[in-house]
Amino acid sequence: MSDLQPMPAAARLARVLDRFPALAVAVSGGVDSLTLASFAFAHGVPLSVIHAVSPAVPAEATARVRELAAAQGWDLTVTGSGEFEDPRYRDNPVDRCYFCKTNLYDRIAGLTDRPIASGANLDDLGDYRPGLIAATERRVVHPLIEAGMTKADVRALARELGLGAVAELPAQPCLASRVETGIAIDADDLAFVERAERRLSALTGGGTLRCRITHQGVAVELGEEAMGQAGAVDALMAQLCAGDGRAYAGSRAYRRGAMFVGAPTMGA
């Protein structure tokens, strides 16, 4: 048996980053990309941090990016992502994420000549992620994947970096992931989802929850920790939906990728 110890995740990531004289990190506001940007900045990589806003990006994610950028002194650019200008994205096919990332990375490429880095981690490779195809076509690099880092590794690194609540952020795919395949992506729907999830989070104390726009109406999916509050959730959602002229289809157990109809393996 070898006495050699596995290289820590931080050391593996540092080795990957040492290949790049500079990077442009696409930061969504989630734990993965924020941790990547924070580590790269601390490691001394010349860094551009780019955050794209759209109706599909929660306002709290943008606020989180701005707060961390100010605290650490990042060179931050906030830009429009452009996907709502693309009818292929708005039509919401099963590969909608491909068109989202196509627009995002093309927009970032117009702002910098540095290699573009995403915050994708090793766990993402097990999901249906057409956005990764767009990334490959545009030579986007994935340092966390190259370093063999899982979501758990990323959270552990975020704690090491002292990122506080960022390390514990629940998975939070873009708001468009709440819309069932084939229902056109609409900014008003996404605004309703954002409002509803904010109210639901306050009611349940957080955890996993999704407000879904389905062909049967608005549905709520709850993680195990919140299922005991389904009655209160249903009452609140019935009120919110009635006030917005929407049909409420009830609550149910959370299922990853429930809105992707026709995709092989999903995670949203």
Side-chain angles (χ1 to χ4, degrees):
M1 181 179 297
S2 173
D3 292 330
L4 295 177
Q5 296 297 314
M7 184 181 293
R12 299 197 307 270
L13 182 57
R15 179 174 290 185
V16 170
L17 293 175
D18 284 343
R19 298 198 342 254
F20 301 100
L23 277 177
V25 178
V27 171
S28 67
V31 59
D32 300 311
S33 57
L34 288 175
T35 301
L36 174 60
S38 296
F39 184 86
F41 184 78
H43 191 60
V45 179
L47 204 63
S48 300
V49 177
I50 300 175
H51 175 67
V53 296
S54 86
V57 177
E60 65 181 16
T62 299
R64 191 180 302 124
V65 171
R66 290 187 184 277
E67 181 180 358
L68 200 54
Q72 296 191 17
W74 294 346
D75 174 16
L76 174 66
T77 298
V78 177
T79 183
S81 55
E83 77 271 29
F84 272 73
E85 301 164 18
D86 187 341
R88 300 170 299 175
Y89 167 86
R90 296 196 309 273
D91 285 345
N92 195 20
V94 71
D95 59 347
R96 180 199 68 245
C97 294
Y98 173 83
F99 301 112
C100 174
K101 296 302 186 185
T102 293
N103 283 279
L104 171 65
Y105 293 135
D106 285 349
R107 184 66 59 94
I108 293 175
L111 297 173
T112 180
D113 57 2
R114 293 176 172 178
I116 301 169
S118 88
N121 69 68
L122 207 58
D123 292 347
D124 295 327
L125 300 182
D127 287 332
Y128 176 62
R129 301 272 178 164
L132 290 176
I133 299 173
T136 298
E137 292 173 350
R138 284 151 182 80
R139 299 184 179 180
V140 173
V141 298
H142 310 293
L144 300 177
I145 291 177
E146 289 189 49
M149 294 179 66
T150 64
K151 175 73 81 172
D153 293 328
V154 175
R155 292 193 188 281
L157 181 58
R159 295 181 193 110
E160 290 178 26
L161 292 169
L163 297 185
V166 168
E168 315 307 327
L169 286 172
Q172 192 67 276
C174 80
L175 295 173
S177 70
R178 316 298 202 270
V179 183
E180 196 167 50
T181 298
I183 299 176
I185 301 298
D186 177 81
D188 288 341
D189 285 344
L190 302 190
F192 175 81
V193 166
E194 184 173 10
R195 291 195 305 273
E197 290 191 356
R198 188 165 54 245
R199 293 283 300 275
L200 290 170
S201 182
L203 174 68
T204 63
T208 300
L209 58 87
R210 299 286 187 270
C211 174
R212 307 290 203 185
I213 304 294
T214 78
H215 287 87
Q216 290 73 44
V218 176
V220 172
E221 293 186 358
L222 301 170
E224 290 183 9
E225 68 279 7
M227 286 301 293
Q229 302 180 68
V233 166
D234 288 337
L236 173 60
M237 285 304 301
Q239 177 186 3
L240 294 178
C241 287
D244 212 56
R246 298 174 183 271
Y248 181 48
S251 58
R252 60 200 186 198
Y254 169 70
R255 181 168 63 87
R256 293 180 70 186
M259 296 300 91
F260 285 97
V261 179
T265 308
M266 296 143 290

